[in-house]
Amino acid sequence: MSLGRKLFISYLVVILVGALVMGVSTLSISPVTFARHVESMRDMMTSMMMNTGMEQLELELNNNFRQAINSTLIIATAAATVAASIVSAYVTRRIATPIQQTVLASERIADGHYEERLPVYSDDELGDLTRSFNRMAAALAETEAVRQQLIADISHELKTPLAGIQAYMEGLLDRVMEPTPETFEQVQREAGRLQRLVHDLQELSRAESDQIKLSIVPCEATELVKATSQWIHPQFEDSGIELRLDLPDKSITVLADHDHIRQVLLNLLGNALQYTPTGGQVTVGWGQRGGAVRFFVRDTGIGLVAEDLEHIFLRFYRVDKSRARASGGSGIGLTISQAIIRAPNGRLWAESAGLGQGSTFLFTLPLAV
Ligand code: ADP
């Protein structure tokens, strides 16, 4: 039942209780008060009837009747007021308590107690308010947890290359290590990892605060795929992995930010290259699906289990942490790619039949009309 209807019925109940108490009290008190007044008039009536006549008697009767009614009404009104007040207090408490609880809980949340939740008592607007409050509290708690996790992740990611650089430098200073080109290359590699990480973090922060500036223009789907694969082809050759193109004959134009889509394709192709053993194959292409074009990067690599398919788009998530860190992966690439694809309402997802079965990454872009 809605809160408005409840309030209306509550008022009605209060009025009815008041009227009922008033009626019952009047009915039960009036005979008593009236009898008392009649009793007090008995002697007077006899003498009056004999001495003063009918007129005086009527006047006295009227007076006493009015007094009887007045005292009955005073007692009945007092009883009705007390009864209506008790019912009003009960009704008000039922409505005010959840609101007071919500106020107190919001103050506690403002003080940083994000675990605060409210019990849901009813199915009306107050129940809705409590439910939305609990949802908001849960969202805030999650944001806070993500923020804390992010700080922990970033410090952890920065620590590893920094510790590497420090160890090499100490080794060189203590002359435990030779200042050979290999040593300097190692230091440079660690510094490169730091630089990549900082660059990725900047991209991530832009992506997550919806600040990616996309300049969406009509782009030729085949040209997008060809340009990106040409760029990365030498790396595939070096690793002994075949890069195939699967492109329809027809030409189709999609609405996209050319540079950002290239960045997404490069991320997907780079991952496919990284997670596919030598001798494997990676296929990149597109196909039309209704009003959208679906791009895909399919590999014959290590594959993904169902649980990881959902998590790999979370920032800093890596399936095999030690392996990815050794190869420089920070687990941010797919998060950024997803933000880029989602910005113009696209979708990026992964499919895999399981470990060792390869994986396919797909994303959609709208057709240019
Ligand atoms: P990273 O820089 O670590 O590659 P990404 O965000 O690009 O970060 O990928 C997140 C994780 O998803 C990777 O660490 C890896 O575990 C998994 N992953 C991504 N692409 C593939 C793929 N083609 N095959 C298997 N696992 C993959």
Side-chain angles (χ1 to χ4, degrees):
M1 199 194 292
S2 76
L3 185 64
R5 191 168 289 183
K6 267 190 186 168
L7 278 174
F8 178 74
I9 292 177
S10 312
Y11 290 139
L12 218 61
V13 168
V14 170
I15 292 167
L16 281 178
V17 167
L20 198 75
V21 171
M22 200 157 163
V24 172
S25 335
T26 310
L27 281 177
S28 47
I29 300 165
S30 58
V32 182
T33 47
F34 199 64
R36 194 157 37 89
H37 283 280
V38 169
E39 181 66 31
S40 71
M41 281 169 59
R42 185 168 292 151
D43 297 341
M44 196 173 53
M45 273 193 329
T46 334
S47 72
M48 271 182 182
M49 276 172 83
M50 284 190 280
N51 305 327
T52 47
M54 263 328 261
E55 243 175 65
Q56 184 65 25
L57 180 66
E58 268 175 28
L59 201 73
E60 278 302 318
L61 260 176
N62 266 337
N63 264 348
N64 279 290
F65 182 70
R66 208 175 300 127
Q67 272 176 25
I69 290 288
N70 281 352
S71 38
T72 305
L73 276 179
I74 288 169
I75 297 170
T77 308
T81 310
V82 170
S85 307
I86 293 170
V87 177
S88 291
Y90 172 74
V91 170
T92 313
R93 241 182 71 133
R94 277 193 63 114
I95 295 170
T97 308
I99 297 177
Q100 280 165 350
Q101 282 178 343
T102 313
V103 171
L104 286 177
S106 13
E107 280 167 6
R108 279 185 57 77
I109 284 188
D111 289 341
H113 300 281
Y114 297 103
E115 71 291 344
E116 196 72 31
R117 296 292 180 278
L118 288 170
V120 182
Y121 290 120
S122 55
D123 238 352
D124 52 18
E125 285 91 335
L126 283 175
D128 290 346
L129 174 74
T130 316
R131 269 186 287 273
S132 341
F133 179 89
N134 286 344
R135 262 202 308 280
M136 180 202 73
L140 281 174
E142 200 184 314
T143 310
E144 177 61 11
V146 166
R147 191 183 68 85
Q148 283 176 3
Q149 185 62 45
L150 183 66
I151 294 172
D153 285 339
I154 293 175
S155 352
H156 188 77
E157 292 300 323
L158 291 173
K159 218 165 74 184
T160 318
L162 274 176
I165 293 174
Q166 198 179 18
Y168 285 119
M169 286 306 166
E170 273 172 12
L172 286 171
L173 282 172
D174 297 345
R175 302 191 191 284
V176 183
M177 271 180 183
E178 289 298 311
T180 58
E182 290 78 44
T183 311
F184 291 120
E185 251 172 45
Q186 291 286 2
V187 175
Q188 196 189 26
R189 200 166 303 141
E190 296 295 351
R193 280 177 66 180
L194 270 180
Q195 200 176 25
R196 264 200 313 279
L197 182 65
V198 171
H199 171 265
D200 281 356
L201 284 172
Q202 277 174 334
E203 280 279 297
L204 180 69
S205 112
R206 266 199 289 273
E208 295 201 333
S209 56
D210 288 334
Q211 280 176 7
I212 299 184
K213 297 266 175 292
L214 296 180
S215 68
I216 295 179
V217 288
C219 304
E220 229 284 294
T222 297
E223 194 275 323
L224 268 174
V225 173
K226 276 189 175 163
T228 319
S229 24
Q230 260 165 25
W231 202 83
I232 202 168
H233 194 257
Q235 293 180 41
F236 274 81
E237 271 187 347
D238 290 349
S239 308
I241 298 166
E242 189 186 349
L243 178 59
R244 289 183 182 176
L245 302 187
D246 181 0
L247 301 165
D249 288 335
K250 64 175 178 178
S251 125
I252 209 158
T253 316
V254 289
L255 285 177
D257 178 309
H258 190 276
D259 292 347
H260 279 101
I261 295 305
R262 273 196 62 178
Q263 184 185 340
V264 172
L265 278 169
L266 275 178
N267 173 229
L268 300 181
L269 285 168
N271 280 349
L273 175 69
Q274 192 172 337
Y275 300 108
T276 303
T278 308
Q281 283 160 8
V282 173
T283 311
V284 56
W286 62 266
Q288 193 179 343
R289 286 279 185 289
V293 173
R294 189 182 274 187
F295 291 77
F296 61 86
V297 175
R298 193 169 50 237
D299 64 56
T300 57
I302 60 171
L304 288 154
V305 294
E307 196 203 338
D308 289 328
L309 287 176
E310 291 167 25
H311 293 126
I312 47 173
F313 297 96
L314 300 175
R315 55 165 107 83
F316 297 113
Y317 188 85
R318 288 169 303 216
V319 176
D320 180 349
K321 296 181 183 356
S322 53
R323 177 190 170 123
R325 187 171 289 133
S327 53
S330 54
I332 302 180
L334 286 177
T335 318
I336 296 170
S337 293
Q338 194 176 51
I340 291 173
I341 298 295
R342 274 186 179 168
N345 277 334
R347 188 176 156 232
L348 166 65
W349 73 103
E351 293 172 359
S352 174
L355 283 184
Q357 309 283 310
S359 9
T360 307
F361 284 78
L362 307 107
F363 64 89
T364 53
L365 286 178
L367 265 178
V369 276

